[in-house]
């Protein structure tokens, strides 16, 4: 496909108007929306309002009048449709790691007779690390890698819908059914799928995810936690903080969980960070997710076609079997990526040899993908990555 | 003391210039700085910069170039002098509740042969609730109330330097020494003391606190966690997330704790909320804390003197024995407070009968205190609180 054909596809793109809702620096093709989503234009004004009008003018009254107190639930309700959930099933706040701890600990207490946690070495490391920390705290639990393939004695299975490294996509309904058939509960990590495709966790037991990737809610934006309604009356939040209490302003001595999802709110929400998430959801409530997925598959396929067989494809070749990301292998991946970034094409690198490119369909076009692939081929053809300045490692790579 | 004398004290106040650094709504005397501190003027510009220049322009590069990745530690180092700590001893992030969970869990693992956690029913409820959640998760632990007075078999003691309800101040050195003499570790909750007085936790084992009260870092601002250097090599962070790993970008399968305080960083920091904390610390690094404490004691004493014996004093009568807060009892405390707020004097109410007034010395003057007391006396003398409209409860009181 040549550049003119890409321009024509962009002109016909039903999502093309969304690009104007994001701030993108001149001369940059940003293929890292799978790590940190671009800034929505509306967010700056929303932050100003929350800081100057809510905090500045309402002061502590903001907890009532600006709705801060309810935001973990009200913003959760706004996010819920993006993961196939309904009202009263999602809370936002804290971080993905904390939400994993809450979900896995709750699942273990719902399956007290079992002592195995199945996690996946291909999960993003924090998932695995948090489970290790929980297992170490409790004692007597085995953390088994998914590769062993056995769910039969598992209390809980923790998996990612989309693999952060390769973009490979799990079959959520099939794996959920397999876990349930074995008597296990399942926790899905949706960090790399939410906002990039239609997600449906309505059969899952728990789900977690972050909002700073495709959802563009800002660096370190709050995470979300989903609890299936069938568990809400019995699931315990072991991080039983004041905001999860049934009557916080009674200041009782003993914890008594609130009904429903409120019990999973731990403590004072990060209001400023939540404001940016709420602003991003002003966009997402207008986004037709089936179109996002269709465009995402077209963009990743275009990139693979244009790069051809110049680099080993680490992602599944079938677009239906991957998320909105393409991973390519190169033994000198680090300087290759630095050389690309120097030419305005921003991807990232994951040791030891993986170049990652994320495709956020709301602000990337076909022509962007064409130009990114052309730049990558030029960096490879001319061996531009051999410049010494690209060998110097940055702290965060 | 009459109003003219208060005006004269304000004119001589060495801290008077700080008031201009805060946004305070016209006609409001804000005595809730012990719950949510007022907005620093500089914060709005700092938030704009972080959102528009860092996130908007640097995008994912902000983790390197804007220093986001290191902020849990660099901002922690800036906060450290306010609690008598040194560099490399404090991390910021998450919430006080999460920090309590980390600190108490770490302490329990340092005292594996003991099975008692001493907490204080007078602690803010979240402290007690988080400990109950942890004890329930672990099983086999007793949560003993401080009132029983025994530390001898305690693994850890969790206490607040200043009581949120009465403002009563603990003798930190004496209680720390008593805990240590009994072989227990101690975790201090500094939520109601940091920013209001000189705090010194250098003998303590752990300390936690929030930054949205006297420190004015914004609604739901990140918390801090202090770990004494003598424990840093051995204390475990049971919330062992990716950002606490020794080599996060090696993406290892197993958690391996970073050296020093970094192991207590759980996961991706809330960058937007952290920016507001960093902005507030631009003020605090210029604040002479001995002057803050002297003015705080003068302000609380003035308020007590002016209100006289019209209401029962729930706070200690000796200013040295209390924080920067005065609590008064009235059987109809809720409508009394609503009537006060309606007249521009903002305090808060804690069930069943406590009127709380916080005195933030950076933006409150002697004349403010004079006028607040006069308004309170008027509300009481004229029984203005009997108006029906003040009986309607707000969600967050």
């Amino acid at each position: 496909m040549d550049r003119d054909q890409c321009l024509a596809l962009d002109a016909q793109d039903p999502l093309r108007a969304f690009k104007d809702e994001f701030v993108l620096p001149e001369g940059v093709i940003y293929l890292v929306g799978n790590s940190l989503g671009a800034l929505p234009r509306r967010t700056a004004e929303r932050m100003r309002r929350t800081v100057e009008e809510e905090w500045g003018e309402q002061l502590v009254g903001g907890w009532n009048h600006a709705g801060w107190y309810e935001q973990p639930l009200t913003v959760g309700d706004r996010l819920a449709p993006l993961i196939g959930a309904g009202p009263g099933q999602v809370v936002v706040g804290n971080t993905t790691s904390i939400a994993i701890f809450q979900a896995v600990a709750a699942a273990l207490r719902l399956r007290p007779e079992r002592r195995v946690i199945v996690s996946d070495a291909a999960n993003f490391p924090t998932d695995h690390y948090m489970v290790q920390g929980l297992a170490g705290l409790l004692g007597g639990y085995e953390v088994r890698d998914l590769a062993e393939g056995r769910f039969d004695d598992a209390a809980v299975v923790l998996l990612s819908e989309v693999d952060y490294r390769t973009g490979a996509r799990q079959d959520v309904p099939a794996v959920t059914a397999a876990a349930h058939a074995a008597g296990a509960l399942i926790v899905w990590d949706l960090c790399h799928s939410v906002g990039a495709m239609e997600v449906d966790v309505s059969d899952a037991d728990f789900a977690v995810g972050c909002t700073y990737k495709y959802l563009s809610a800002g660096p370190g934006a709050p995470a979300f936690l989903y609890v299936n309604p069938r568990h809400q009356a019995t699931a315990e939040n072991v991080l039983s903080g004041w905001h999860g209490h049934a009557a916080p302003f009674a200041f009782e001595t003993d914890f008594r969980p609130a009904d429903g999802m409120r019990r999973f709110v731990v403590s004072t929400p990060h209001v400023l960070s939540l404001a940016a998430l709420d602003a991003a959801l002003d966009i997402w409530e207008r986004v037709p997710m089936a179109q996002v997925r269709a465009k995402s598959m077209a963009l990743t396929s275009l990139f693979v076609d244009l790069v051809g067989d110049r680099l080993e494809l680490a992602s599944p070749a079938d677009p239906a079997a991957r998320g909105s990301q393409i991973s390519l292998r190169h033994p000198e991946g680090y300087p290759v990526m630095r050389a690309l970034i120097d030419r305005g094409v921003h991807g990232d690198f994951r040791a030891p040899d993986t170049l990652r490119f994320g495709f956020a369909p709301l602000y990337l076009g076909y022509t962007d993908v064409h130009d990114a692939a052309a730049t990558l081929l030029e960096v490879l053809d001319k061996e531009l990555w051999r410049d010494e300045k690209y060998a110097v490692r940055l702290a965060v790579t």
Side-chain angles (χ1 to χ4, degrees), chain A residues 35-36 94-95 210-212 217-223 270 273-274:
Chain A
S35 177
L36 177 66
N94 302 304
T95 65
C210 74
T211 64
Y212 47 75
H270 294 97
S273 290
L274 268 169

Side-chain angles (χ1 to χ4, degrees), chain A residues 191-390:
Chain A
C191 284
H192 291 83
S193 51
V194 64
M197 61 182 64
E198 290 165 293
V199 173
D200 183 358
V201 293
S202 54
D203 288 332
D205 300 290
F206 300 87
V208 304
C210 74
T211 64
Y212 47 75
K213 297 179 185 293
Y214 296 104
L215 295 187
S216 277
F224 60 86
L225 169 64
Y226 160 84
V227 180
N228 192 300
R230 68 176 170 264
H231 297 306
Q232 287 190 13
T234 48
E236 289 177 52
N237 178 14
V238 300
L239 301 178
S240 50
W242 184 53
H243 278 247
H245 196 280
F249 291 95
F251 297 96
E252 297 173 4
T253 303
D254 292 327
F255 184 75
R256 190 162 57 86
D259 288 338
M261 278 308 287
R262 173 159 282 287
R263 71 177 58 177
F264 289 94
V265 183
V266 180
S267 46
T268 311
H270 294 97
V271 170
L272 303 187
S273 290
L274 268 169
L277 171 55
D278 202 38
L281 292 170
D282 290 344
I283 298 175
W284 287 100
E285 69 185 5
R286 290 179 277 115
V287 171
M289 200 54 72
Q291 289 180 9
V292 167
R293 177 62 173 157
K295 183 176 173 185
S296 159
M297 291 198 292
L299 293 177
T300 56
S301 296
L302 174 62
F303 189 70
V304 170
D305 290 346
L306 291 170
V307 175
D309 52 6
R310 288 296 308 276
L311 291 173
E312 180 190 348
L313 181 64
S315 302
D318 174 6
R322 65 190 180 219
S324 201
Q325 151 188 350
I326 293 298
S327 298
L328 301 170
R329 291 210 175 89
H330 188 289
E332 297 294 338
Y334 186 79
V336 170
M337 183 52 74
R338 292 286 309 280
L340 259 181
I341 291 170
D342 215 16
R343 285 157 183 81
V345 177
H346 291 226
D348 69 10
F349 171 75
R350 289 291 174 257
D353 62 359
T354 301
L355 302 159
R356 291 199 316 171
F357 301 93
F359 298 83
L362 295 195
Y363 49 81
L364 279 174
Y366 296 86
T367 314
D368 295 324
V369 173
H370 177 277
D371 295 349
T375 305
L376 174 58
L377 292 176
E378 186 190 12
V379 164
L380 295 173
D381 288 343
K382 299 184 180 170
E383 299 194 349
L384 301 172
W385 55 269
R386 290 192 187 273
D387 192 313
E388 275 180 21
K389 68 182 171 185
Y390 301 134

Side-chain angles (χ1 to χ4, degrees), chain A residues 82 120 122 146 159-175 188-190 192-194 196-201 289 293-294 296-297 314-325:
Chain A
L82 297 173
D120 184 356
L146 179 71
L159 287 182
S160 301
E161 180 166 20
V162 171
D163 183 307
Y164 80 102
R165 213 179 302 226
T166 65
R169 183 187 183 196
Q170 291 277 359
D171 183 339
V172 168
V175 178
W188 282 105
D189 177 338
L190 308 172
H192 291 83
S193 51
V194 64
M197 61 182 64
E198 290 165 293
V199 173
D200 183 358
V201 293
M289 200 54 72
R293 177 62 173 157
S296 159
M297 291 198 292
S315 302
D318 174 6
R322 65 190 180 219
S324 201
Q325 151 188 350

